[in-house]
Amino acid sequence: MFGRSVLGLSAFLVMTAYSLPSMAASCGSTASPELDWQECNKKNLMLQGSDLQGANLAGTDFSLTDLGGANLKSANAEKATLVRASLAGASAQGANFGKIEAYRSTFAGAAADGASFAGAELQRADFTGAQLTKANFEKAELGRANFDKAVLTGVSFALANLSRADLTGARYEGPISFDRAFMFLTRIEGLDLSAATGLQQAQIDLACGDSSTKLPSGLTVPSNWPCPQEQD
């Protein structure tokens, strides 16, 4: 019995000895495709143009880090921290940004078709000019997020908080899902939402449109439109 215990302990120590250096080396390694930076500290770095395609970035802290123009295609950044980070012009098609914390981050000009932002914290995030075809924002917090000139074809905002988000100037073909989204003072001036799905009159009554906003059949323009412009 004692001998087996010693052998078991020895095996455990050997496994630990091999695994710990490997984990430590991952965080110190240079950016490269498919690397493992899970839960690493990558705050306040200049990583513009880095190739992180397919990388495991789950739980990584990228606060204040510049990832502008980086390749994040198919990367897993679930639960990563991207507070005030820049992903401007990044390639992030098919990336997983589920449950990230990304207050005041910028995805301006990013290509993130098919990316998931489900459950993400994206208050005041900037998606100006981003390519977001079929992106998933289900249950995301998008208060005051800016989608000016963003491509939103096939996007799902189901159950998202779009309070004071600005969708004016967004571009899309086909339906967008607003199923049970919270749209308090959401700016939808000038948008053709006639093919949008999930929209209810109660959502429209809270939102901010104008005479050029087109609504799905059965919904009516509220008497309080247009809303006054708010100071940011």
Side-chain angles (χ1 to χ4, degrees):
M1 179 70 72
F2 178 75
R4 286 198 295 270
S5 298
V6 171
L7 288 173
L9 178 60
S10 298
F12 172 77
L13 291 174
V14 169
M15 290 175 63
T16 303
Y18 277 99
S19 63
L20 288 180
S22 175
M23 292 172 63
S26 296
C27 289
S29 61
T30 303
S32 61
E34 300 185 357
L35 59 68
D36 185 358
W37 273 355
Q38 183 172 356
E39 298 185 359
C40 294
N41 183 349
K42 297 296 175 181
K43 296 171 63 175
N44 203 23
L45 298 178
M46 307 295 284
L47 296 173
Q48 306 101 310
S50 296
D51 189 352
L52 293 166
Q53 182 170 347
N56 180 14
L57 310 174
T60 305
D61 191 347
F62 287 110
S63 298
L64 297 170
T65 288
D66 191 345
L67 288 159
N71 180 3
L72 294 162
K73 294 177 182 177
S74 301
N76 177 25
E78 185 176 15
K79 296 184 179 179
T81 301
L82 290 153
V83 175
R84 294 181 181 270
S86 174
L87 286 83
S91 297
Q93 295 93 331
N96 180 12
F97 295 108
K99 300 181 181 179
I100 60 171
E101 293 185 26
Y103 313 105
R104 291 185 179 274
S105 59
T106 179
F107 293 83
D113 297 332
S116 175
F117 296 88
E121 301 279 349
L122 292 159
Q123 290 89 337
R124 294 182 180 269
D126 184 8
F127 289 95
T128 301
Q131 302 285 325
L132 298 166
T133 298
K134 294 185 178 179
N136 180 14
F137 288 93
E138 182 175 340
K139 297 183 179 179
E141 293 288 337
L142 291 160
R144 294 187 183 275
N146 185 4
F147 289 94
D148 183 39
K149 298 181 178 65
V151 177
L152 301 179
T153 301
V155 163
S156 174
F157 289 118
L159 296 165
N161 181 1
L162 288 163
S163 298
R164 292 185 168 88
D166 191 350
L167 300 177
T168 60
R171 296 174 290 144
Y172 49 88
E173 297 178 3
I176 301 175
S177 174
F178 291 97
D179 182 33
R180 291 168 287 172
F182 185 57
M183 298 178 65
F184 177 70
L185 299 182
T186 304
R187 313 300 307 203
I188 55 174
E189 290 93 344
L191 295 186
D192 183 353
L193 298 174
S194 56
T197 62
L199 273 178
Q200 302 293 324
Q201 188 64 48
Q203 293 167 292
I204 295 301
D205 292 342
L206 288 174
C208 292
D210 59 15
S211 59
S212 61
T213 302
K214 296 182 180 179
L215 301 175
S217 177
L219 301 185
T220 59
V221 173
S223 60
N224 61 328
W225 283 10
C227 301
Q229 289 295 324
E230 288 189 316
Q231 295 297 320
D232 192 13

